[in-house]
Amino acid sequence: MSVIDILTRVDAICKKYDKYDVEKLNDSSNVSGADAFARLYRDVENDIEAALQKAEVAKDEKNRAAAVALNAEIRRTKARLMEEVPKLQRLAQKRGKGLSIEEFSARNDLVLALPDRIQAIPDGTASAPKKTGGWASSASGGGIRFDSDGRFDDEYFKESEQSSQFRQEYEMRKIKQDQGLDVISEGLDTLKDMAQDMNEEFDRQVPLMDEIDEKVDRATTDLKSTNVRLKETVMQLRSSRNFCIDIILLCIILGIAAYLYNVLKN
């Protein structure tokens, strides 16, 4: 085989696999700003790269609390990226203008490979068995590096001292929360009993209050009627028929007063 044949064959192979080149897809998305699939896929790709960088930082982090926080953030990012996959699938089914058949099929392959890529991001939890195909098949080669050396003995799954302390602290916090909830529950039960007792007491006091209201109403009516009768009696005593009697009595009183004055003066 000559050098020209080799170059021709390499060029054909490169053209065949150009549809899997993410950088070219990003460049094409920058050219066509109206391509929603390219924009969304570029954002997902950037998030995957950022999550991988955070995973490396969490792997080298010595502070366990910081590592746990980073892993939690990575898990949230993975969940959000998994929610974007259905959107990409719907957009990949729409064939835009100027899109060739190879590019259209390449988009579907890229979307199908996304779930495996997202799940492959380390997040501090035990990873599930990875499915073959998709991205793994297209990215197969001699440059793949595995973190594990294939040894999964009892020492590999043995609980470390840090994880044991973390579990104990979690259990203690859980017990304290349960105790606090029990205290709150007892207080609520006490308030409930007090409210029921107050309601029963109100029910017993209602008839007495009604009886008091009736007595007050009767007393008010009797007082009004008594006032009316007293007014009538006063008017009768001070009528014009008794005016003469009042004058005579007044004269007698004045005469007695004058007599007493003369006696006392002499």
Side-chain angles (χ1 to χ4, degrees):
M1 182 179 292
S2 62
V3 176
I4 297 175
D5 293 336
I6 294 174
L7 293 176
T8 304
R9 187 174 180 83
V10 169
D11 185 60
I13 293 173
C14 291
K15 289 181 179 180
K16 182 178 179 181
Y17 287 97
D18 276 345
K19 59 183 179 180
Y20 297 107
D21 194 349
V22 177
E23 295 181 357
K24 289 186 177 181
L25 285 175
N26 291 336
D27 294 337
S28 64
S29 66
N30 292 329
V31 174
S32 59
D35 193 352
F37 175 84
R39 291 197 305 271
L40 184 58
Y41 187 83
R42 183 180 67 248
D43 295 338
V44 172
E45 190 72 25
N46 293 333
D47 291 339
I48 291 176
E49 292 297 330
L52 288 173
Q53 293 177 2
K54 290 180 181 178
E56 292 295 331
V57 174
K59 182 180 177 182
D60 299 334
E61 182 63 44
K62 301 300 182 181
N63 189 351
R64 182 172 178 79
V68 170
L70 286 173
N71 289 325
E73 186 176 356
I74 293 172
R75 286 192 290 271
R76 289 194 295 270
T77 303
K78 290 172 64 175
R80 180 173 57 81
L81 292 176
M82 290 300 295
E83 293 177 355
E84 298 293 337
V85 173
K87 298 179 183 178
L88 285 171
Q89 290 177 349
R90 289 193 298 270
L91 293 174
Q93 299 300 325
K94 298 178 182 180
R95 185 172 180 178
K97 296 180 180 180
L99 194 65
S100 62
I101 298 175
E102 290 79 7
E103 292 175 347
F104 181 72
S105 61
R107 288 187 171 187
N108 292 324
D109 294 338
L110 290 173
V111 173
L112 291 175
L114 272 180
D116 292 337
R117 294 182 60 195
I118 295 171
Q119 294 298 332
I121 300 174
D123 57 0
T125 58
S127 58
K130 298 180 181 179
K131 299 180 181 178
T132 59
W135 179 264
S137 62
S138 63
S140 61
I144 299 177
R145 180 175 62 85
F146 295 95
D147 295 334
S148 175
D149 56 357
R151 296 180 301 170
F152 297 100
D153 51 4
D154 294 338
E155 287 292 331
Y156 183 81
F157 296 101
K158 187 176 180 181
E159 187 176 15
S160 63
E161 183 178 357
Q162 292 180 350
S163 61
S164 177
Q165 293 177 357
F166 182 78
R167 183 181 295 277
Q168 290 177 0
E169 183 179 359
Y170 169 75
E171 293 295 336
M172 291 296 296
R173 290 180 180 273
K174 186 177 180 181
I175 292 172
K176 289 181 180 180
Q177 289 179 357
D178 292 339
Q179 292 176 353
L181 291 174
D182 291 337
V183 173
I184 294 174
S185 178
E186 292 177 358
L188 291 176
D189 292 337
T190 303
L191 291 175
K192 181 180 178 182
D193 295 337
M194 292 175 63
Q196 290 178 352
D197 295 338
M198 292 174 65
N199 191 17
E200 293 176 357
E201 186 66 25
F202 286 153
D203 292 338
R204 289 193 296 268
Q205 295 294 333
V206 166
L208 297 176
M209 296 295 293
D210 294 337
E211 184 178 357
I212 292 172
D213 290 337
E214 292 177 357
K215 290 182 178 180
V216 170
D217 293 336
R218 287 198 300 268
T220 302
T221 304
D222 295 340
L223 184 60
K224 289 181 179 180
S225 61
T226 303
N227 288 334
V228 172
R229 290 196 300 269
L230 182 60
K231 185 177 180 180
E232 293 176 353
T233 304
V234 172
M235 291 299 293
Q236 289 178 358
L237 291 174
R238 302 297 300 171
S239 62
S240 59
R241 293 182 304 173
N242 298 326
F243 182 73
C244 295
I245 298 174
D246 294 339
I247 295 297
I248 295 171
L249 292 174
L250 182 60
C251 292
I252 294 172
I253 292 172
L254 290 175
I256 293 172
Y259 174 75
L260 293 174
Y261 176 76
N262 293 326
V263 171
L264 294 173
K265 185 176 181 181
N266 294 328

